[in-house]
Amino acid sequence: MRALCAAAVDAATSAGAEYADARVVTKRSQLVTTKNGRVEHLTDAESEGIGVRVLVGGAWGFACDRRLTAEGARETALRACAFARAAGNKSSRVLAPAEPRSGSYRTALETDPFAVPVAAKVDLCLRADEGLKGPDVVVRQAMVRAQREHKLLLSSEGTEVEQELIECGGGIDCAAARDGIFQTRSYPTTQVGSSSQAGWEYVEALGLAREAPRVAEQAGALLRADPCPSGVTTVVLDADQVALQVHESVGHPTELDRVYGTEASYAGTSFLAPEDLGSLRYGSELMNVTADPTTPGGLGTFGFDDEGVPAERTPVVEGGVLTGFLTSRETAARIGAGLGGSMRAEGWNRMPLVRMTNLHLEPGKGTLDELLADVPDGIYMETNRSWSIDDKRLNFQFGTQMAWEIKGGKLGRMLRDATYTGITPEFWGSLDAVAGPEAWRLYGMTNCGKGQPGQSAHVSHGAAPARFRAVQVGVGA
């Protein structure tokens, strides 16, 4: 692998590239899903190839090839240089300085998920699927997944880093219907379950079969629950929903390529401006958000990003003030702050983009019960069901699968079809409590889309339940 990367970099620099890097990536992905007692998907796929990125005459070029041969590596580098020349650029591009790096990183784990027989994974899903049965349940689904990615990065500046990242995860959900009402319930989170950079022990700890009866019972109960009322009230969000709120209204708008408008094709730009750094009031003084690719178990955890920048914990919002962006070496140089560290590519056939790593809302103090105790009247919302946010990540609406009325500091009747809406800095400005470390949870998602051609990044968010005052709820009622 090293010889292939070296051949590509040498070919690129010989062809006039002022900078070049080459990544050889091999990936194996496994997915097992069941639906209503039957195996729906069983895939075990492998891919390998090389991707070469070059800077020629102030323009980026990228090319890739599935052939892992010296000839393929050199041809890929020359095509990347040709693409850069064809793109053309009248201005130069500056990269933040980076010392040549040499090192390796491997996911810490107890049990390799690929050592677990597929039959055992199917059995786990079918047992969880069976546990989701209920009188009103019409659809039952269970999923487990695993991925191994091995990559070697070599650059013309002397960086050489090798990494092996291993993930696995799982989840269950069911849908219930009665008298024209349709409701869903999921565990441990919505849509695609939750994953971790860890071994099979993570999936076992989820207890999918154990939790299934509770999930089915709640789905049925939601059919008989009252709709969430409309009004302005205090909202307490569970950690899962807070994690998605961080992702959509903090993570994406602080990606600096979006701020500069150089990435807009998939999901828009940002309401932020470069000059907001260090001055914009993003939220209340209780809002502290950190990008941390060193988080144990995070899907955005690594030793080095795909530009070879070492992993480093970086504050993004401190005391409610914007103090950092998610950057590449190029965007960091352009804004004059940071060194990069957020560049990642989905695989060998994609060019690295500025992506979230692990983005966390730092914990505060107290328990969920203590957050609720200070609410005379309000709504507690749990597990995301839907989201909508504009292309600048400013105006949003979220819906949750489940909610409860808060009366006198305690949970009351169950509510269905709960939604809330807001404007990003106003909403975060209404934050007046975050639960403490004992309530903080890490959620890993595998469906963060960006770029064209599209890339799906795997990211994690840590969060604890949080309380917001004067929030509009029930707007979908």
Side-chain angles (χ1 to χ4, degrees):
M1 291 175 62
R2 187 192 184 284
L4 298 179
C5 288
V9 169
D10 289 345
T13 54
S14 297
E18 53 258 40
Y19 170 85
D21 60 41
R23 286 178 298 112
V24 169
V25 181
T26 61
K27 183 185 290 187
R28 181 182 178 186
S29 301
Q30 193 178 77
L31 174 68
V32 176
T33 67
T34 61
K35 183 176 182 180
N36 290 349
R38 295 175 177 270
V39 176
E40 186 174 39
H41 295 290
L42 201 167
T43 60
D44 195 337
E46 295 185 72
S47 70
E48 62 181 19
I50 185 171
V52 181
R53 186 179 66 144
V54 301
L55 194 55
V56 180
W60 286 111
F62 176 78
C64 58
D65 200 307
R66 66 179 67 254
R67 294 174 297 165
L68 292 183
T69 64
E71 179 185 9
R74 286 191 291 269
E75 289 181 0
T76 302
L78 295 178
R79 280 189 287 114
C81 291
F83 292 152
R85 291 191 180 92
N89 190 44
K90 295 181 179 180
S91 59
S92 62
R93 294 179 186 267
V94 178
L95 304 182
E99 296 181 10
R101 299 288 179 173
S102 178
S104 62
Y105 173 86
R106 187 177 190 274
T107 300
L109 53 82
E110 295 176 17
T111 303
D112 184 344
F114 289 98
V116 178
V118 172
K121 296 171 180 175
V122 171
D123 178 67
L124 172 60
C125 287
L126 289 174
R127 285 189 287 113
D129 188 304
E130 180 71 17
L132 289 170
K133 286 184 175 179
D136 298 309
V137 173
V138 292
V139 179
R140 314 183 309 273
Q141 298 182 101
M143 174 278 290
V144 295
R145 61 171 294 273
Q147 177 178 290
R148 176 190 287 114
E149 183 180 42
H150 182 272
K151 52 188 177 181
L152 176 68
L153 169 70
L154 208 68
S155 83
S156 58
E157 296 176 333
T159 286
E160 181 178 340
V161 294
E162 186 172 10
Q163 305 186 86
E164 186 177 46
L165 310 178
I166 298 174
E167 305 173 359
C168 59
I172 55 175
D173 61 74
C174 67
R178 183 186 180 95
D179 299 330
I181 299 173
F182 182 86
Q183 296 292 312
T184 60
R185 195 73 180 107
S186 306
Y187 169 82
T189 182
T190 190
Q191 303 231 353
V192 290
S194 184
S195 293
S196 176
Q197 199 178 117
W200 188 249
E201 63 276 2
Y202 176 79
V203 175
E204 292 179 332
L206 290 175
L208 300 180
R210 179 192 69 232
E211 298 292 335
R214 174 187 61 82
V215 171
E217 181 182 357
Q218 289 181 342
L222 281 167
L223 298 174
R224 297 158 180 82
D226 293 328
C228 179
S230 297
V232 176
T233 189
T234 297
V235 166
V236 179
L237 302 179
D238 78 325
D240 177 22
Q241 180 60 35
V242 173
L244 185 63
Q245 183 75 54
V246 168
H247 181 94
E248 300 293 350
S249 65
V250 184
H252 281 308
T254 57
E255 293 168 341
L256 195 51
D257 57 347
R258 289 180 181 272
V259 174
Y260 281 121
T262 55
E263 206 316 298
S265 60
Y266 185 82
T269 55
S270 173
F271 72 93
L272 300 171
E275 57 270 21
D276 289 334
L277 187 65
S279 61
L280 181 126
R281 171 58 65 177
Y282 213 114
S284 76
E285 293 182 356
L286 298 175
M287 183 187 185
N288 295 284
V289 177
T290 306
D292 188 2
T294 70
T295 306
L299 296 187
T301 296
F302 48 74
F304 308 87
D305 79 343
D306 283 342
E307 289 188 310
V309 178
E312 184 178 48
R313 179 181 171 93
T314 305
V316 175
V317 178
E318 294 182 276
V321 176
L322 177 69
T323 56
F325 285 109
L326 305 176
T327 64
S328 63
R329 290 179 61 193
E330 180 185 351
T331 56
R334 183 172 177 180
I335 202 172
L339 298 173
S342 296
M343 285 286 272
R344 295 197 290 156
E346 183 180 4
W348 56 270
N349 58 354
R350 293 292 186 268
M351 188 171 179
L353 299 173
V354 177
R355 304 306 303 257
M356 281 174 265
T357 55
N358 304 307
L359 197 68
H360 311 315
L361 177 66
E362 298 298 327
K365 297 179 180 179
T367 65
L368 172 59
D369 286 343
E370 289 172 326
L371 262 63
L372 298 172
D374 197 28
V375 182
D377 292 281
I379 306 290
Y380 173 65
M381 299 187 180
E382 181 178 327
T383 312
N384 181 260
R385 181 176 181 177
S386 65
W387 69 93
S388 175
I389 190 164
D390 69 20
D391 61 359
K392 288 187 177 295
R393 304 281 153 172
L394 190 60
N395 298 280
F396 62 80
Q397 176 178 304
F398 289 92
T400 62
Q401 293 181 359
M402 207 165 193
W404 283 266
E405 189 176 55
I406 306 172
K407 287 291 185 182
K410 296 187 180 298
L411 296 181
R413 58 178 175 146
M414 181 186 293
L415 302 171
R416 61 175 170 86
D417 303 328
T419 60
Y420 67 95
T421 188
I423 300 172
T424 294
E426 292 181 5
F427 178 79
W428 284 107
S430 73
L431 174 68
D432 82 334
V434 182
E438 67 278 4
W440 195 88
R441 300 288 183 271
L442 187 66
Y443 297 91
M445 59 179 68
T446 59
N447 61 339
C448 175
K450 185 177 179 180
Q452 191 170 354
Q455 299 189 41
S456 184
H458 297 185
V459 304
S460 286
H461 301 289
R467 188 175 67 213
F468 301 84
R469 302 289 187 178
V471 177
Q472 175 67 54
V473 304
V475 293

PDB file of all heavy atoms in Angstrom, residues 191-222:
ATOM      1  N   GLN A 191     -34.488   5.906  13.339  1.00  0.00           N
ATOM      2  CA  GLN A 191     -34.104   5.638  11.954  1.00  0.00           C
ATOM      3  C   GLN A 191     -33.101   4.510  11.771  1.00  0.00           C
ATOM      4  O   GLN A 191     -33.477   3.404  11.419  1.00  0.00           O
ATOM      5  CB  GLN A 191     -33.559   6.931  11.295  1.00  0.00           C
ATOM      6  CG  GLN A 191     -34.552   8.058  11.345  1.00  0.00           C
ATOM      7  CD  GLN A 191     -34.792   8.716  10.002  1.00  0.00           C
ATOM      8  OE1 GLN A 191     -34.137   8.421   9.030  1.00  0.00           O
ATOM      9  NE2 GLN A 191     -35.744   9.600   9.950  1.00  0.00           N
ATOM     10  N   VAL A 192     -31.828   4.744  12.001  1.00  0.00           N
ATOM     11  CA  VAL A 192     -30.825   3.732  11.688  1.00  0.00           C
ATOM     12  C   VAL A 192     -30.126   3.218  12.939  1.00  0.00           C
ATOM     13  O   VAL A 192     -28.999   2.731  12.878  1.00  0.00           O
ATOM     14  CB  VAL A 192     -29.778   4.289  10.688  1.00  0.00           C
ATOM     15  CG1 VAL A 192     -30.390   4.483   9.326  1.00  0.00           C
ATOM     16  CG2 VAL A 192     -29.181   5.612  11.189  1.00  0.00           C
ATOM     17  N   GLY A 193     -30.768   3.280  14.061  1.00  0.00           N
ATOM     18  CA  GLY A 193     -30.169   2.803  15.295  1.00  0.00           C
ATOM     19  C   GLY A 193     -28.994   3.655  15.716  1.00  0.00           C
ATOM     20  O   GLY A 193     -28.789   4.755  15.216  1.00  0.00           O
ATOM     21  N   SER A 194     -28.205   3.149  16.642  1.00  0.00           N
ATOM     22  CA  SER A 194     -27.022   3.863  17.105  1.00  0.00           C
ATOM     23  C   SER A 194     -25.805   2.964  16.954  1.00  0.00           C
ATOM     24  O   SER A 194     -25.886   1.743  17.156  1.00  0.00           O
ATOM     25  CB  SER A 194     -27.172   4.284  18.569  1.00  0.00           C
ATOM     26  OG  SER A 194     -26.057   5.055  19.000  1.00  0.00           O
ATOM     27  N   SER A 195     -24.688   3.560  16.564  1.00  0.00           N
ATOM     28  CA  SER A 195     -23.454   2.818  16.364  1.00  0.00           C
ATOM     29  C   SER A 195     -22.329   3.450  17.161  1.00  0.00           C
ATOM     30  O   SER A 195     -22.407   4.602  17.585  1.00  0.00           O
ATOM     31  CB  SER A 195     -23.067   2.781  14.875  1.00  0.00           C
ATOM     32  OG  SER A 195     -23.984   2.025  14.123  1.00  0.00           O
ATOM     33  N   SER A 196     -21.270   2.673  17.338  1.00  0.00           N
ATOM     34  CA  SER A 196     -20.103   3.136  18.081  1.00  0.00           C
ATOM     35  C   SER A 196     -18.851   2.602  17.413  1.00  0.00           C
ATOM     36  O   SER A 196     -18.872   1.557  16.763  1.00  0.00           O
ATOM     37  CB  SER A 196     -20.167   2.646  19.530  1.00  0.00           C
ATOM     38  OG  SER A 196     -19.005   3.010  20.257  1.00  0.00           O
ATOM     39  N   GLN A 197     -17.765   3.332  17.558  1.00  0.00           N
ATOM     40  CA  GLN A 197     -16.475   2.801  17.144  1.00  0.00           C
ATOM     41  C   GLN A 197     -16.002   1.894  18.278  1.00  0.00           C
ATOM     42  O   GLN A 197     -15.390   2.340  19.239  1.00  0.00           O
ATOM     43  CB  GLN A 197     -15.489   3.935  16.872  1.00  0.00           C
ATOM     44  CG  GLN A 197     -14.307   3.500  16.029  1.00  0.00           C
ATOM     45  CD  GLN A 197     -13.353   4.627  15.721  1.00  0.00           C
ATOM     46  OE1 GLN A 197     -12.207   4.594  16.128  1.00  0.00           O
ATOM     47  NE2 GLN A 197     -13.818   5.649  15.002  1.00  0.00           N
ATOM     48  N   ALA A 198     -16.350   0.641  18.174  1.00  0.00           N
ATOM     49  CA  ALA A 198     -16.129  -0.331  19.248  1.00  0.00           C
ATOM     50  C   ALA A 198     -16.338  -1.723  18.682  1.00  0.00           C
ATOM     51  O   ALA A 198     -16.608  -1.900  17.485  1.00  0.00           O
ATOM     52  CB  ALA A 198     -17.100  -0.072  20.408  1.00  0.00           C
ATOM     53  N   GLY A 199     -16.239  -2.723  19.551  1.00  0.00           N
ATOM     54  CA  GLY A 199     -16.461  -4.095  19.146  1.00  0.00           C
ATOM     55  C   GLY A 199     -17.900  -4.531  19.376  1.00  0.00           C
ATOM     56  O   GLY A 199     -18.771  -3.741  19.771  1.00  0.00           O
ATOM     57  N   TRP A 200     -18.143  -5.844  19.150  1.00  0.00           N
ATOM     58  CA  TRP A 200     -19.490  -6.394  19.258  1.00  0.00           C
ATOM     59  C   TRP A 200     -20.080  -6.219  20.647  1.00  0.00           C
ATOM     60  O   TRP A 200     -21.298  -6.247  20.822  1.00  0.00           O
ATOM     61  CB  TRP A 200     -19.463  -7.859  18.867  1.00  0.00           C
ATOM     62  CG  TRP A 200     -20.821  -8.471  18.761  1.00  0.00           C
ATOM     63  CD1 TRP A 200     -21.371  -9.398  19.579  1.00  0.00           C
ATOM     64  CD2 TRP A 200     -21.816  -8.179  17.766  1.00  0.00           C
ATOM     65  NE1 TRP A 200     -22.646  -9.715  19.170  1.00  0.00           N
ATOM     66  CE2 TRP A 200     -22.943  -8.978  18.051  1.00  0.00           C
ATOM     67  CE3 TRP A 200     -21.852  -7.323  16.660  1.00  0.00           C
ATOM     68  CZ2 TRP A 200     -24.088  -8.939  17.265  1.00  0.00           C
ATOM     69  CZ3 TRP A 200     -22.996  -7.286  15.882  1.00  0.00           C
ATOM     70  CH2 TRP A 200     -24.106  -8.088  16.192  1.00  0.00           C
ATOM     71  N   GLU A 201     -19.235  -5.982  21.634  1.00  0.00           N
ATOM     72  CA  GLU A 201     -19.722  -5.756  22.992  1.00  0.00           C
ATOM     73  C   GLU A 201     -20.683  -4.565  23.055  1.00  0.00           C
ATOM     74  O   GLU A 201     -21.569  -4.518  23.908  1.00  0.00           O
ATOM     75  CB  GLU A 201     -18.556  -5.561  23.958  1.00  0.00           C
ATOM     76  CG  GLU A 201     -17.679  -4.347  23.705  1.00  0.00           C
ATOM     77  CD  GLU A 201     -16.594  -4.562  22.659  1.00  0.00           C
ATOM     78  OE1 GLU A 201     -16.529  -5.665  22.068  1.00  0.00           O
ATOM     79  OE2 GLU A 201     -15.809  -3.621  22.429  1.00  0.00           O
ATOM     80  N   TYR A 202     -20.526  -3.607  22.148  1.00  0.00           N
ATOM     81  CA  TYR A 202     -21.440  -2.457  22.121  1.00  0.00           C
ATOM     82  C   TYR A 202     -22.853  -2.906  21.765  1.00  0.00           C
ATOM     83  O   TYR A 202     -23.828  -2.486  22.404  1.00  0.00           O
ATOM     84  CB  TYR A 202     -20.942  -1.408  21.121  1.00  0.00           C
ATOM     85  CG  TYR A 202     -21.876  -0.234  20.975  1.00  0.00           C
ATOM     86  CD1 TYR A 202     -21.898   0.788  21.921  1.00  0.00           C
ATOM     87  CD2 TYR A 202     -22.758  -0.140  19.898  1.00  0.00           C
ATOM     88  CE1 TYR A 202     -22.772   1.866  21.793  1.00  0.00           C
ATOM     89  CE2 TYR A 202     -23.622   0.925  19.759  1.00  0.00           C
ATOM     90  CZ  TYR A 202     -23.628   1.932  20.715  1.00  0.00           C
ATOM     91  OH  TYR A 202     -24.500   2.994  20.582  1.00  0.00           O
ATOM     92  N   VAL A 203     -22.984  -3.757  20.744  1.00  0.00           N
ATOM     93  CA  VAL A 203     -24.308  -4.242  20.335  1.00  0.00           C
ATOM     94  C   VAL A 203     -24.937  -5.063  21.455  1.00  0.00           C
ATOM     95  O   VAL A 203     -26.127  -4.929  21.755  1.00  0.00           O
ATOM     96  CB  VAL A 203     -24.196  -5.062  19.042  1.00  0.00           C
ATOM     97  CG1 VAL A 203     -25.548  -5.681  18.688  1.00  0.00           C
ATOM     98  CG2 VAL A 203     -23.706  -4.190  17.896  1.00  0.00           C
ATOM     99  N   GLU A 204     -24.151  -5.930  22.082  1.00  0.00           N
ATOM    100  CA  GLU A 204     -24.682  -6.742  23.178  1.00  0.00           C
ATOM    101  C   GLU A 204     -25.199  -5.872  24.318  1.00  0.00           C
ATOM    102  O   GLU A 204     -26.235  -6.165  24.917  1.00  0.00           O
ATOM    103  CB  GLU A 204     -23.604  -7.699  23.673  1.00  0.00           C
ATOM    104  CG  GLU A 204     -23.236  -8.782  22.666  1.00  0.00           C
ATOM    105  CD  GLU A 204     -22.141  -9.697  23.175  1.00  0.00           C
ATOM    106  OE1 GLU A 204     -21.328  -9.235  24.004  1.00  0.00           O
ATOM    107  OE2 GLU A 204     -22.108 -10.868  22.748  1.00  0.00           O
ATOM    108  N   ALA A 205     -24.499  -4.771  24.597  1.00  0.00           N
ATOM    109  CA  ALA A 205     -24.906  -3.891  25.696  1.00  0.00           C
ATOM    110  C   ALA A 205     -26.208  -3.144  25.394  1.00  0.00           C
ATOM    111  O   ALA A 205     -26.903  -2.710  26.324  1.00  0.00           O
ATOM    112  CB  ALA A 205     -23.789  -2.897  26.012  1.00  0.00           C
ATOM    113  N   LEU A 206     -26.548  -3.016  24.117  1.00  0.00           N
ATOM    114  CA  LEU A 206     -27.802  -2.339  23.771  1.00  0.00           C
ATOM    115  C   LEU A 206     -29.020  -3.126  24.254  1.00  0.00           C
ATOM    116  O   LEU A 206     -30.067  -2.533  24.538  1.00  0.00           O
ATOM    117  CB  LEU A 206     -27.899  -2.139  22.256  1.00  0.00           C
ATOM    118  CG  LEU A 206     -26.934  -1.123  21.620  1.00  0.00           C
ATOM    119  CD1 LEU A 206     -27.088  -1.133  20.104  1.00  0.00           C
ATOM    120  CD2 LEU A 206     -27.163   0.279  22.176  1.00  0.00           C
ATOM    121  N   GLY A 207     -28.926  -4.442  24.316  1.00  0.00           N
ATOM    122  CA  GLY A 207     -30.043  -5.260  24.788  1.00  0.00           C
ATOM    123  C   GLY A 207     -31.283  -5.111  23.921  1.00  0.00           C
ATOM    124  O   GLY A 207     -32.387  -4.865  24.431  1.00  0.00           O
ATOM    125  N   LEU A 208     -31.139  -5.273  22.620  1.00  0.00           N
ATOM    126  CA  LEU A 208     -32.256  -5.042  21.699  1.00  0.00           C
ATOM    127  C   LEU A 208     -33.455  -5.935  22.014  1.00  0.00           C
ATOM    128  O   LEU A 208     -34.603  -5.463  22.038  1.00  0.00           O
ATOM    129  CB  LEU A 208     -31.796  -5.264  20.258  1.00  0.00           C
ATOM    130  CG  LEU A 208     -30.658  -4.354  19.761  1.00  0.00           C
ATOM    131  CD1 LEU A 208     -30.324  -4.691  18.313  1.00  0.00           C
ATOM    132  CD2 LEU A 208     -31.024  -2.883  19.896  1.00  0.00           C
ATOM    133  N   ALA A 209     -33.224  -7.223  22.233  1.00  0.00           N
ATOM    134  CA  ALA A 209     -34.335  -8.134  22.543  1.00  0.00           C
ATOM    135  C   ALA A 209     -34.967  -7.787  23.889  1.00  0.00           C
ATOM    136  O   ALA A 209     -36.188  -7.905  24.061  1.00  0.00           O
ATOM    137  CB  ALA A 209     -33.838  -9.579  22.533  1.00  0.00           C
ATOM    138  N   ARG A 210     -34.156  -7.363  24.829  1.00  0.00           N
ATOM    139  CA  ARG A 210     -34.672  -6.997  26.155  1.00  0.00           C
ATOM    140  C   ARG A 210     -35.581  -5.771  26.090  1.00  0.00           C
ATOM    141  O   ARG A 210     -36.607  -5.697  26.771  1.00  0.00           O
ATOM    142  CB  ARG A 210     -33.478  -6.713  27.079  1.00  0.00           C
ATOM    143  CG  ARG A 210     -33.860  -6.285  28.499  1.00  0.00           C
ATOM    144  CD  ARG A 210     -32.654  -5.751  29.256  1.00  0.00           C
ATOM    145  NE  ARG A 210     -32.198  -4.472  28.720  1.00  0.00           N
ATOM    146  CZ  ARG A 210     -30.942  -4.227  28.362  1.00  0.00           C
ATOM    147  NH1 ARG A 210     -30.013  -5.161  28.448  1.00  0.00           N
ATOM    148  NH2 ARG A 210     -30.612  -3.035  27.890  1.00  0.00           N
ATOM    149  N   GLU A 211     -35.223  -4.800  25.274  1.00  0.00           N
ATOM    150  CA  GLU A 211     -35.974  -3.546  25.205  1.00  0.00           C
ATOM    151  C   GLU A 211     -37.186  -3.617  24.284  1.00  0.00           C
ATOM    152  O   GLU A 211     -38.058  -2.747  24.332  1.00  0.00           O
ATOM    153  CB  GLU A 211     -35.050  -2.422  24.723  1.00  0.00           C
ATOM    154  CG  GLU A 211     -33.880  -2.123  25.639  1.00  0.00           C
ATOM    155  CD  GLU A 211     -34.318  -1.515  26.963  1.00  0.00           C
ATOM    156  OE1 GLU A 211     -35.404  -0.897  27.008  1.00  0.00           O
ATOM    157  OE2 GLU A 211     -33.583  -1.651  27.956  1.00  0.00           O
ATOM    158  N   ALA A 212     -37.265  -4.634  23.437  1.00  0.00           N
ATOM    159  CA  ALA A 212     -38.316  -4.698  22.421  1.00  0.00           C
ATOM    160  C   ALA A 212     -39.735  -4.646  22.990  1.00  0.00           C
ATOM    161  O   ALA A 212     -40.584  -3.889  22.485  1.00  0.00           O
ATOM    162  CB  ALA A 212     -38.120  -5.933  21.550  1.00  0.00           C
ATOM    163  N   PRO A 213     -40.082  -5.420  24.028  1.00  0.00           N
ATOM    164  CA  PRO A 213     -41.454  -5.345  24.535  1.00  0.00           C
ATOM    165  C   PRO A 213     -41.851  -3.944  25.010  1.00  0.00           C
ATOM    166  O   PRO A 213     -42.994  -3.517  24.808  1.00  0.00           O
ATOM    167  CB  PRO A 213     -41.451  -6.353  25.692  1.00  0.00           C
ATOM    168  CG  PRO A 213     -40.365  -7.324  25.338  1.00  0.00           C
ATOM    169  CD  PRO A 213     -39.302  -6.498  24.687  1.00  0.00           C
ATOM    170  N   ARG A 214     -40.922  -3.242  25.646  1.00  0.00           N
ATOM    171  CA  ARG A 214     -41.221  -1.873  26.095  1.00  0.00           C
ATOM    172  C   ARG A 214     -41.496  -0.963  24.903  1.00  0.00           C
ATOM    173  O   ARG A 214     -42.444  -0.148  24.922  1.00  0.00           O
ATOM    174  CB  ARG A 214     -40.043  -1.322  26.898  1.00  0.00           C
ATOM    175  CG  ARG A 214     -40.209   0.157  27.278  1.00  0.00           C
ATOM    176  CD  ARG A 214     -38.956   0.731  27.921  1.00  0.00           C
ATOM    177  NE  ARG A 214     -37.795   0.679  27.027  1.00  0.00           N
ATOM    178  CZ  ARG A 214     -37.550   1.580  26.083  1.00  0.00           C
ATOM    179  NH1 ARG A 214     -38.402   2.581  25.877  1.00  0.00           N
ATOM    180  NH2 ARG A 214     -36.472   1.481  25.335  1.00  0.00           N
ATOM    181  N   VAL A 215     -40.693  -1.090  23.853  1.00  0.00           N
ATOM    182  CA  VAL A 215     -40.869  -0.269  22.658  1.00  0.00           C
ATOM    183  C   VAL A 215     -42.237  -0.523  22.028  1.00  0.00           C
ATOM    184  O   VAL A 215     -42.956   0.408  21.649  1.00  0.00           O
ATOM    185  CB  VAL A 215     -39.729  -0.549  21.655  1.00  0.00           C
ATOM    186  CG1 VAL A 215     -39.989   0.125  20.313  1.00  0.00           C
ATOM    187  CG2 VAL A 215     -38.391  -0.074  22.231  1.00  0.00           C
ATOM    188  N   ALA A 216     -42.627  -1.793  21.933  1.00  0.00           N
ATOM    189  CA  ALA A 216     -43.929  -2.131  21.357  1.00  0.00           C
ATOM    190  C   ALA A 216     -45.073  -1.600  22.214  1.00  0.00           C
ATOM    191  O   ALA A 216     -46.073  -1.083  21.696  1.00  0.00           O
ATOM    192  CB  ALA A 216     -44.041  -3.646  21.203  1.00  0.00           C
ATOM    193  N   GLU A 217     -44.930  -1.718  23.516  1.00  0.00           N
ATOM    194  CA  GLU A 217     -45.971  -1.232  24.422  1.00  0.00           C
ATOM    195  C   GLU A 217     -46.153   0.274  24.284  1.00  0.00           C
ATOM    196  O   GLU A 217     -47.284   0.782  24.261  1.00  0.00           O
ATOM    197  CB  GLU A 217     -45.606  -1.589  25.866  1.00  0.00           C
ATOM    198  CG  GLU A 217     -46.640  -1.136  26.880  1.00  0.00           C
ATOM    199  CD  GLU A 217     -46.229  -1.472  28.311  1.00  0.00           C
ATOM    200  OE1 GLU A 217     -45.162  -2.099  28.500  1.00  0.00           O
ATOM    201  OE2 GLU A 217     -46.967  -1.108  29.223  1.00  0.00           O
ATOM    202  N   GLN A 218     -45.049   0.999  24.181  1.00  0.00           N
ATOM    203  CA  GLN A 218     -45.146   2.454  24.050  1.00  0.00           C
ATOM    204  C   GLN A 218     -45.747   2.856  22.707  1.00  0.00           C
ATOM    205  O   GLN A 218     -46.498   3.836  22.631  1.00  0.00           O
ATOM    206  CB  GLN A 218     -43.772   3.082  24.245  1.00  0.00           C
ATOM    207  CG  GLN A 218     -43.286   3.006  25.681  1.00  0.00           C
ATOM    208  CD  GLN A 218     -41.936   3.662  25.875  1.00  0.00           C
ATOM    209  OE1 GLN A 218     -41.194   3.902  24.927  1.00  0.00           O
ATOM    210  NE2 GLN A 218     -41.602   3.976  27.118  1.00  0.00           N
ATOM    211  N   ALA A 219     -45.423   2.125  21.654  1.00  0.00           N
ATOM    212  CA  ALA A 219     -46.017   2.429  20.347  1.00  0.00           C
ATOM    213  C   ALA A 219     -47.537   2.291  20.407  1.00  0.00           C
ATOM    214  O   ALA A 219     -48.284   3.127  19.873  1.00  0.00           O
ATOM    215  CB  ALA A 219     -45.434   1.507  19.282  1.00  0.00           C
ATOM    216  N   GLY A 220     -48.007   1.229  21.059  1.00  0.00           N
ATOM    217  CA  GLY A 220     -49.453   1.059  21.210  1.00  0.00           C
ATOM    218  C   GLY A 220     -50.072   2.135  22.086  1.00  0.00           C
ATOM    219  O   GLY A 220     -51.176   2.625  21.797  1.00  0.00           O
ATOM    220  N   ALA A 221     -49.378   2.518  23.148  1.00  0.00           N
ATOM    221  CA  ALA A 221     -49.904   3.543  24.049  1.00  0.00           C
ATOM    222  C   ALA A 221     -50.035   4.886  23.351  1.00  0.00           C
ATOM    223  O   ALA A 221     -50.956   5.669  23.643  1.00  0.00           O
ATOM    224  CB  ALA A 221     -48.999   3.669  25.276  1.00  0.00           C
ATOM    225  N   LEU A 222     -49.127   5.174  22.434  1.00  0.00           N
ATOM    226  CA  LEU A 222     -49.187   6.445  21.710  1.00  0.00           C
ATOM    227  C   LEU A 222     -50.463   6.579  20.885  1.00  0.00           C
ATOM    228  O   LEU A 222     -50.953   7.693  20.652  1.00  0.00           O
ATOM    229  CB  LEU A 222     -47.965   6.583  20.792  1.00  0.00           C
ATOM    230  CG  LEU A 222     -46.662   7.017  21.466  1.00  0.00           C
ATOM    231  CD1 LEU A 222     -45.476   6.808  20.537  1.00  0.00           C
ATOM    232  CD2 LEU A 222     -46.739   8.468  21.920  1.00  0.00           C
TER     233      LEU A 222
END
